[in-house]
Amino acid sequence: MFDVLVNKYNFTFTLELPYDGNWGNQMPNGTFNGMIGMVEREWADMAMTGCTITEDRDAVVDFTHPFYEDPETILIRAPGERPNALAFLQPFTYKVWLLILSSPCAVGPLLWLMTEGTGDWSPSLYPHKGRSASVLNYIWGAGFCLIAQGYELRLNESSRVMLGLWWTYCMILIYTYTGNLIAFLTVPRLAGIIQSLDELANQREVLWTYRAESVLDTLFAGAENGTYRKIGDLKHTHKDLLVKSDVDGINAVLLKNMAFIKEQSYLDFAMEKDYLETKRCRLTLVPELFFSAPFGWAVQEHSVFLPLLNTEILRMMQSGLLKVWKIKHWPKPNECTARADVRTTGPRSLR
């Protein structure tokens, strides 16, 4: 964008990096640091960057028309398969397992009562030569049905009907378990999946970070309640939580398994760079977007350059230049971003 202005109006300029590496955040004394502070103190004529337009910043500098709107999102380590050692327990919830294990204790005594407790010694008993058995034997017999091991205790007519119902229940349970177990093994659950900012704030398995003295720092620190407040409260218990640079935020995700909250555009480029360097899909983005903020250039208050900059930015937008540049320079789809669109979470436990 700036190159277009230089070529059109044929002027020279001096480009300086901010003295502290920040865009500009309000300090306790009311002044700003970073690029906003440099423009405010007239150390620079303008801040040529994707600077988020906020009410606090707009009080000390003037902004051009916004040329881009960028939402915030969350960068996390790409999810991997969960350890599979206890996969045989996953098809059912713990409540179902408890009911299954306790059901023979209910059916066994009932079969014993219908067979042995009634004193029915008629020839209808099956097998005819079967011996009398205790309640415990009938409980074990009912339990063996759950693993399809057969049943040899004697029965009469009424208890045979009861056993038929029990076997029907056992066969349905066995084949339901077998089919669901295959699903869990072929479509394994993925570890480390976070779907939203609210989900991130309500857990502590994955901690999060964002850049200190940034718009996000102001946003979360100033929130009085809700999810934003929960996100900001974590830094009070972890003093060294916030990072000083974006590179530190990316490293926190890769090395410490943390979540990094940042503008989506920057994270798109960071993911592409990591993929091109490693040829591995190590990073992914949470699908939820939030706090979409406009970007603009900051100039000194009542700057003579502001009307011209606004006119030229509007021309770039209306002519389609910004769209062309985004198609040309933005990260191209790769196997990592294509895979992230299909967010497999695996089958759910039967309830």
Side-chain angles (χ1 to χ4, degrees), residues 30-224:
T31 61
F32 281 75
N33 58 16
M35 286 180 279
I36 298 297
M38 294 173 68
V39 175
E40 177 191 13
R41 301 181 190 93
E42 300 185 358
W43 297 354
D45 293 299
M46 63 178 293
M48 186 205 66
T49 179
C51 191
T52 304
I53 302 174
T54 65
E55 183 179 2
D56 292 338
R57 290 173 174 174
D58 196 43
V60 296
V61 298
D62 286 340
F63 281 98
T64 64
H65 289 313
F67 55 85
Y68 189 73
E69 191 167 303
D70 203 10
E72 307 288 335
T73 188
I74 306 168
L75 182 73
I76 58 175
R77 188 184 296 177
E81 293 184 10
R82 291 184 182 275
N84 228 17
L86 299 178
F88 68 95
L89 294 176
Q90 293 177 349
F92 296 144
T93 62
Y94 76 95
K95 293 180 180 179
V96 175
W97 279 118
L98 291 177
L99 290 172
I100 291 174
L101 295 176
S102 61
S103 56
C105 298
V107 175
L110 185 59
L111 288 172
W112 176 86
L113 184 64
M114 297 173 68
T115 304
E116 307 286 350
T118 59
D120 185 1
W121 297 94
S122 64
S124 62
L125 288 173
Y126 175 84
H128 300 297
K129 297 181 181 180
R131 297 180 181 179
S132 177
S134 66
V135 176
L136 185 60
N137 293 128
Y138 278 89
I139 293 176
W140 277 110
F144 287 151
C145 295
L146 285 173
I147 53 176
Q149 293 298 304
Y151 190 90
E152 296 183 355
L153 296 175
R154 65 179 185 174
L155 302 165
N156 56 20
E157 292 178 353
S158 58
S159 59
R160 288 178 72 181
V161 174
M162 178 64 196
L163 183 65
L165 296 174
W166 173 245
W167 262 111
T168 303
Y169 162 79
C170 290
M171 296 306 294
I172 294 174
L173 199 65
I174 289 170
Y175 287 107
T176 301
Y177 172 80
T178 303
N180 208 30
L181 178 63
I182 292 173
F184 270 90
L185 295 178
T186 54
V187 188
R189 289 185 171 187
L190 300 179
I193 291 183
I194 295 173
Q195 300 290 341
S196 66
L197 185 70
D198 186 64
E199 186 176 330
L200 177 68
N202 290 311
Q203 56 83 50
R204 287 297 182 271
E205 181 180 352
V206 177
L207 299 181
W208 55 88
T209 184
Y210 45 90
R211 187 162 174 170
E213 299 185 4
S214 65
V215 171
L216 286 176
D217 195 4
T218 304
L219 175 68
F220 296 140
E224 297 181 357

Side-chain angles (χ1 to χ4, degrees), residues 182-293:
I182 292 173
F184 270 90
L185 295 178
T186 54
V187 188
R189 289 185 171 187
L190 300 179
I193 291 183
I194 295 173
Q195 300 290 341
S196 66
L197 185 70
D198 186 64
E199 186 176 330
L200 177 68
N202 290 311
Q203 56 83 50
R204 287 297 182 271
E205 181 180 352
V206 177
L207 299 181
W208 55 88
T209 184
Y210 45 90
R211 187 162 174 170
E213 299 185 4
S214 65
V215 171
L216 286 176
D217 195 4
T218 304
L219 175 68
F220 296 140
E224 297 181 357
N225 48 49
T227 302
Y228 287 177
R229 178 60 184 268
K230 293 179 183 178
I231 293 293
D233 281 346
L234 187 65
K235 76 173 185 179
H236 299 306
T237 56
H238 297 72
K239 301 298 183 181
D240 57 344
L241 175 71
L242 303 189
V243 293
K244 298 296 184 181
S245 69
D246 297 327
V247 175
D248 291 339
I250 303 298
N251 291 333
V253 176
L254 293 173
L255 303 179
K256 301 179 183 179
N257 194 26
M258 298 180 69
F260 181 42
I261 306 174
K262 180 67 178 173
E263 291 87 0
Q264 183 185 16
S265 57
Y266 176 84
L267 298 181
D268 285 339
F269 281 93
M271 288 178 58
E272 182 190 48
K273 179 181 178 182
D274 183 73
Y275 171 72
L276 294 177
E277 290 177 352
T278 64
K279 299 302 180 183
R280 295 165 54 196
C281 301
R282 303 195 299 173
L283 301 169
T284 188
L285 295 179
V286 169
E288 183 190 60
L289 304 176
F290 62 95
F291 189 62
S292 186

